[in-house]
Amino acid sequence: MLRSLGWRRSGGIENISSQWLLDSESRTESVVVPLRRDYDDYIQRAWEALSRIASVYPQQADTLILQLILPGVDELINRKDEPTVGGSIPWRSAENQIVGFRQVLSAAAKSAETQQRHFGRSHRRVATEFMSQLRMGQTKIGSFVITAISPTNPLPVRKDGQSYDDLIAPTGRQVVETFNGGLEALQFASSEYVRHLNGAVFDETVTSGVSLDLVKGMRRVLGNSPASETVISWSTQMSRDTSKVGPSAASRIVFEAQHAPALKAAVNRLQELDTKKQVTIDGAVTDLHRATPGEAGVVEVRVLSGSDVEQVLISLTDNYDDAVESHKAGSLVRVVGTQERINSKYWIVDVKSLRITDSQGRGKELISRSDEVPS
């Protein structure tokens, strides 16, 4: 880490200690780092080195010491500007800050896996694993502060019986980048809403990591307070973005009281978009189930294109057996109809068209109401 901050190694005692120098215009800073953990004075010498480094960066001392003790972590701080009485705030306000910040973090973890307008109870595994990897830092001087410490390494999530390490592993860094991108997009859209009072500004924010879940969490964090500030101190390791290096590498997003109506409008807008809409979805049948032969069965379709949700359900009676054969053959399906969110799942209701296409490109129309198919 010292090298990434501009220090250079210069001497020391081989296998016992190393000396590091930092040149500036006025002077050269020096620190001796102990290497032998088995020496009796190792802890004392290590704290001396940490104190020396902290004295060079007084404004970022806590963050730098954290990165030395727990290398490869990003630090997320949420500070709530709340009027106090004798250093206290209402219990519910503090509780909402903690619960809301957790909701925002969980939503970011889900968006790092797949971008979606609303998650609800879906994608819980990645969110649960990310939250289990977090550590909470000590409170800091100022208003009411929450500190989350996030490892940058891959999350050990298991999906479909496989570890994500064997697939494409989302990392803690990717979650924090999604968290940062989502909050920045939401803050920008909220400021635009304040100026123009147009809810459409939130329509395209999903691609930046915004979800209904994230907005609800941020709205809870802000509450009735004058402002809520979130600062991310990026680890000097794993920094693909060159702005995320050095002792002052940080991102800062502030929501103010003027944004409260905008956050409410964002919730309403995303809920409105999440209710019903006409879709043409291409996907693959992943599961089927029905209680009794001859009755209606439910077909689960994994969405490949045509919607920002992960899967949809279709209720079929006459064509259920054809859907079973499609699943066996690995065929693709195209369904046209109305996508509606019912409880926590998405259904295609009022199906206008349902077509199966096999691996040879041969198609079979199961349902066709061409005069009603939306353009």
Side-chain angles (χ1 to χ4, degrees):
M1 190 193 79
L2 288 174
R3 182 175 285 108
S4 70
L5 296 176
W7 295 70
R8 58 184 174 84
R9 186 168 179 172
S10 178
I13 303 175
E14 186 176 0
N15 298 325
I16 295 178
S17 65
S18 60
Q19 183 179 37
W20 293 79
L21 303 178
L22 177 66
D23 297 319
S24 64
E25 295 181 0
S26 58
R27 56 181 297 179
T28 297
E29 306 289 351
S30 174
V31 64
V32 176
V33 179
L35 304 177
R36 293 290 299 270
R37 294 176 179 268
D38 56 330
Y39 276 25
D40 292 340
D41 64 346
Y42 174 80
I43 294 178
Q44 177 183 345
R45 301 306 175 195
W47 278 112
E48 289 175 355
L50 289 172
S51 299
R52 183 75 190 93
I53 296 168
S55 69
V56 178
Y57 307 104
Q59 302 302 317
Q60 295 86 29
D62 290 346
T63 298
L64 291 173
I65 291 175
L66 173 67
Q67 291 181 11
L68 285 167
I69 298 174
L70 294 174
V73 296
D74 294 322
E75 184 182 52
L76 302 86
I77 299 173
N78 178 257
R79 180 178 289 103
K80 190 170 185 176
D81 184 9
E82 183 87 4
T84 63
V85 177
S88 69
I89 65 173
W91 181 280
R92 182 57 60 87
S93 179
E95 187 178 81
N96 282 339
Q97 182 184 5
I98 294 174
V99 173
F101 198 54
R102 177 187 174 88
Q103 290 176 337
V104 174
L105 291 167
S106 295
K110 293 178 179 182
S111 290
E113 186 175 53
T114 182
Q115 293 172 343
Q116 201 165 294
R117 182 173 290 113
H118 180 227
F119 293 101
R121 294 173 60 84
S122 66
H123 295 272
R124 285 178 293 173
R125 279 176 292 192
V126 67
T128 298
E129 193 58 48
F130 175 68
M131 296 305 298
S132 71
Q133 298 293 304
L134 291 180
R135 300 180 66 86
M136 181 174 282
Q138 293 182 355
T139 187
K140 299 178 182 292
I141 297 175
S143 188
F144 283 77
V145 179
I146 301 172
T147 302
I149 300 166
S150 171
T152 56
N153 53 283
L155 305 179
V157 178
R158 297 188 67 83
K159 184 176 183 180
D160 299 330
Q162 290 182 287
S163 169
Y164 257 127
D165 293 343
D166 301 327
L167 304 170
I168 300 176
T171 65
R173 167 53 63 85
Q174 288 171 333
V175 174
V176 176
E177 288 177 335
T178 303
F179 172 91
N180 181 59
L183 286 188
E184 285 184 339
L186 179 59
Q187 198 277 345
F188 178 81
S190 296
S191 296
E192 288 294 298
Y193 179 85
V194 170
R195 285 191 285 269
H196 305 294
L197 298 179
N198 183 2
V201 296
F202 300 105
D203 291 359
E204 304 302 322
T205 58
V206 174
T207 58
S208 298
V210 174
S211 64
L212 180 60
D213 315 67
L214 182 138
V215 178
K216 286 182 175 179
M218 197 61 235
R219 189 181 177 203
R220 192 167 190 173
V221 170
L222 179 60
N224 297 319
S225 65
S228 174
E229 175 193 56
T230 300
V231 176
I232 304 171
S233 297
W234 301 94
S235 168
T236 54
Q237 300 184 21
M238 293 183 63
S239 291
R240 291 173 293 178
D241 184 343
T242 55
S243 68
K244 300 185 179 71
V245 296
S248 60
S251 302
R252 179 175 178 266
I253 308 105
V254 178
F255 287 86
E256 299 176 340
Q258 65 172 343
H259 293 125
L263 294 177
K264 181 179 179 180
V267 169
N268 293 336
R269 181 71 177 186
L270 294 176
Q271 284 179 331
E272 175 186 336
L273 295 173
D274 196 49
T275 52
K276 287 186 178 182
K277 64 178 179 179
Q278 297 298 305
V279 294
T280 299
I281 289 176
D282 291 312
V285 176
T286 56
D287 197 9
L288 309 98
H289 47 86
R290 65 178 174 182
T292 306
E295 293 185 354
V298 176
V299 180
E300 295 185 8
V301 177
R302 177 167 58 89
V303 176
L304 300 177
S305 65
S307 175
D308 58 6
V309 304
E310 189 175 53
Q311 74 170 23
V312 294
L313 304 178
I314 308 171
S315 178
L316 293 178
T317 303
D318 297 338
N319 307 108
Y320 182 83
D321 291 335
D322 292 306
V324 172
E325 295 304 315
S326 169
H327 182 45
K328 290 180 179 178
S331 301
L332 297 179
V333 300
R334 169 170 288 187
V335 58
V336 179
T338 303
Q339 177 181 292
E340 181 176 359
R341 187 170 185 269
I342 303 175
N343 296 324
S344 61
K345 298 183 182 296
Y346 292 90
W347 291 76
I348 302 299
V349 299
D350 190 23
V351 177
K352 308 298 184 186
S353 173
L354 180 62
R355 180 181 178 83
I356 293 176
T357 304
D358 64 21
S359 58
Q360 303 301 316
R362 296 186 294 263
K364 179 180 181 180
E365 203 80 31
L366 302 185
I367 299 175
S368 179
R369 301 172 189 166
S370 57
D371 58 321
E372 299 182 44
V373 175
S375 58

